[in-house]
Amino acid sequence: MGLRNTTERWGAVSQLLHWLIVGLLIVQVTLAEMADELPVGVKKLTLLARHKSFGITILALALLRLAWRLRNPTPLLPGTLKPYERALARITHVTLYVLLFAMPLSGWTMSSARGFPVSWFHLFQLPDLVSKNKALYEALLTTHGTLAAVLAVVVALHVAGALKHHFIHKDDVLRRMLPLPSATSGTRR
Ligand code: HEM
Ligand code: HEM
């Protein structure tokens, strides 16, 4: 498997970025849930600091991923897909990209509005995106939580789509996002 994508399958860089982001999202939601259960204190703040650092990492990887995608071909969808399935796949993928940026940016802006600077694993501090503002903090807290709920729904739809391709259509769509050899090839996006 090459590093770059072809019109047949995802290359190693796209695959690595896809699965790395999936893993980090799991860590991210776990840290948020753990912090949520704790009373305000050092332990909660430590978990949230880690949540912020991983969140900024996801933002950087999403940027890298988008840049790589724009400079590479994308695998074609199987020609047997109905127009609505094609449209659903596209809408889901675009929404996932939007959320990969909106989640960390809402979190970062929320922290700035709260008056808490964001550091990346204590290695360097990021600039504040807005000045301290309680009303904005509260609005962004709700936004961040709502976006996380939307992400969960869209990911569920996305995973259902991937499994449908694999087990019902029995095509290559899931295999080509994994380091596995292809069985057939796509025809049209
Ligand atoms: C893809 C990235 C991210 C995901 C999926 C994510 C997800 C979540 C979730 C599920 C919660 C719990 C919400 C709730 O209990 O209502 C949360 C809370 C929080 N997130 Fe994020 N987050 C991300 C990035 C960030 C970033 C980059 C920051 C800041 C730099 C951040 C700051 C926070 C803070 C401070 C809270 C706790 C809010 C509070 O309870 O006061 N998040 N996040
Ligand atoms: C958990 C968060 C996930 C996010 C944010 C995510 C995001 C994305 C995005 C944005 C794409 C479109 C790639 C592009 O066009 O550049 C994609 C493709 C894909 N994802 Fe995910 N994904 C997630 C989880 C999963 C899981 C768990 C599976 C497997 C069950 C999966 C299977 C796939 C497959 C097979 C493709 C390729 C579709 C194609 O070739 O047309 N994803 N993913």
Side-chain angles (χ1 to χ4, degrees), residues 34-54:
M34 283 165 69
D36 202 33
E37 284 166 22
L38 291 173
V40 179
V42 177
K43 208 159 174 222
K44 182 175 182 125
L45 291 178
T46 308
L47 287 178
L48 280 179
R50 238 168 257 163
H51 175 85
K52 294 179 192 182
S53 301
F54 278 112

Side-chain angles (χ1 to χ4, degrees), residues 25 28-29 32-33 36 44 48 51-56 58-59 99-100 103-111 114 118 137 141 144-145 148 151:
L25 282 173
Q28 190 63 347
V29 173
E33 295 306 324
D36 202 33
K44 182 175 182 125
L48 280 179
H51 175 85
K52 294 179 192 182
S53 301
F54 278 112
I56 297 300
I58 294 173
L59 177 63
L99 288 168
L100 285 181
M103 281 293 339
L105 287 175
S106 60
W108 184 356
T109 318
M110 162 174 50
S111 297
R114 181 119 200 234
V118 178
Y137 158 72
L141 180 60
H144 197 64
L151 178 66

Side-chain angles (χ1 to χ4, degrees), residues 131-153:
S131 45
K132 201 170 168 180
N133 178 335
K134 192 162 184 277
L136 181 64
Y137 158 72
E138 275 160 11
L140 286 168
L141 180 60
T142 311
T143 308
H144 197 64
T146 309
L147 288 176
V150 175
L151 178 66
V153 172

Side-chain angles (χ1 to χ4, degrees), residues 10 18-19 22 65 69 93 96-97 158-159 173-174 176:
W10 298 98
H18 180 273
W19 295 111
V22 172
R65 182 167 178 188
R69 191 195 199 280
H93 291 164
L96 286 171
Y97 271 115
H158 177 64
V159 172
V173 170
L174 178 57
R176 70 192 189 181

Side-chain angles (χ1 to χ4, degrees), residues 61-79:
L61 291 173
L63 271 170
L64 209 66
R65 182 167 178 188
L66 193 62
W68 185 257
R69 191 195 199 280
L70 296 174
R71 281 163 186 74
N72 269 264
T74 41
L76 305 167
L77 282 177

